[in-house]
Amino acid sequence: IDLSNVCDFANDCGDIDGGSDERTTLCGSYQGRCSFEHDTCDAWQNEKLADDFDWVMKTGGTQSYGTGPDTDHTTRTTFGYYMFIETSRPAKQGDRAQLVSPVMKGNCKVRFWYHALGNHVGSLIIYRRTSYLADGLTTRLNITGEQGDYWIRAEVALWEKPPADQAPFMVVIEGVVGDGYQGDIAID
């Protein structure tokens, strides 16, 4: 299989044991790799200062009718976990929830699965953060509006070209509330 499909929490090889392309011995060194099946893997944390509410770990469907996934992506069952933003009250339009990676270095890509279903889906934005100053966030992906009732794979290059100085950075995954309660966004 193509290297871009290795270690992406999808059983691309179709083998019975759960995917020879997903083994821990092969994928364990990937920075920030997490399926959210047990926790945030001591890697991803909710932002404490620069957002309005938090991403929540969830199994099964979301509370709001006509929105959110019914299963996670990794196990494809109602028992598997994913992270999502709940856009019902008290959340209001424009509120932001940010999930932040540990500090990383190198010419990395972030690969993940997302689900954005509902009449009021806001935005899912991926940033590269090099500092907390005003110019420290660079948008690398912006997905806005409903995307359908399925998990979609995304792969995002975090640099246009590799930095010469290997500057440290963090990945910020931001969910933005749309104009109503049917706008839950999930990642896995």
Side-chain angles (χ1 to χ4, degrees):
I1 64 170
D2 186 273
L3 284 178
S4 67
N5 291 327
V6 174
C7 303
D8 68 349
F9 293 108
N11 184 1
D12 299 301
C13 293
D15 27 11
I16 295 170
D17 70 356
S20 57
D21 61 319
E22 300 298 319
R23 290 195 180 126
T24 304
T25 54
L26 178 66
C27 306
S29 65
Y30 278 53
Q31 297 181 74
R33 186 170 195 265
C34 188
S35 69
F36 305 116
E37 285 311 308
H38 305 289
D39 55 23
T40 57
C41 308
D42 293 327
W44 295 88
Q45 303 293 324
N46 276 299
E47 172 62 51
K48 292 179 177 42
L49 302 173
D51 66 354
D52 306 300
F53 68 112
D54 288 339
W55 287 86
V56 177
M57 189 174 287
K58 179 86 174 98
T59 61
T62 61
Q63 293 89 323
S64 304
Y65 175 77
T67 187
D70 293 323
T71 68
D72 77 325
H73 171 267
T74 308
T75 69
R76 300 229 182 237
T77 71
T78 57
F79 303 106
Y81 286 85
Y82 57 89
M83 300 294 285
F84 89 112
I85 61 166
E86 173 57 64
T87 59
S88 300
R89 292 183 186 192
K92 58 189 180 302
Q93 186 173 7
D95 280 357
R96 302 171 305 125
Q98 294 182 339
L99 198 61
V100 182
S101 76
V103 175
M104 301 180 185
K105 284 188 174 188
N107 185 24
C108 302
K109 293 180 180 180
V110 61
R111 293 185 294 195
F112 62 99
W113 297 85
Y114 69 92
H115 189 284
L117 173 68
N119 294 327
H120 310 117
V121 172
S123 297
L124 175 64
I125 306 169
I126 306 299
Y127 298 104
R128 178 189 68 232
R129 176 182 284 156
T130 53
S131 79
Y132 277 90
L133 300 176
D135 63 350
L137 279 180
T138 303
T139 302
R140 302 304 302 143
L141 178 70
N142 187 332
I143 299 163
T144 300
E146 179 176 0
Q147 303 296 307
D149 190 10
Y150 42 85
W151 287 98
I152 302 169
R153 184 182 187 273
E155 179 173 279
V156 182
L158 296 172
W159 299 94
E160 295 80 18
K161 59 182 184 175
D165 62 357
Q166 293 295 303
F169 65 92
M170 292 182 285
V171 177
V172 178
I173 301 175
E174 180 178 82
V176 182
V177 176
D179 62 352
Y181 73 94
Q182 289 184 317
D184 298 343
I185 297 171
I187 59 171
D188 202 2

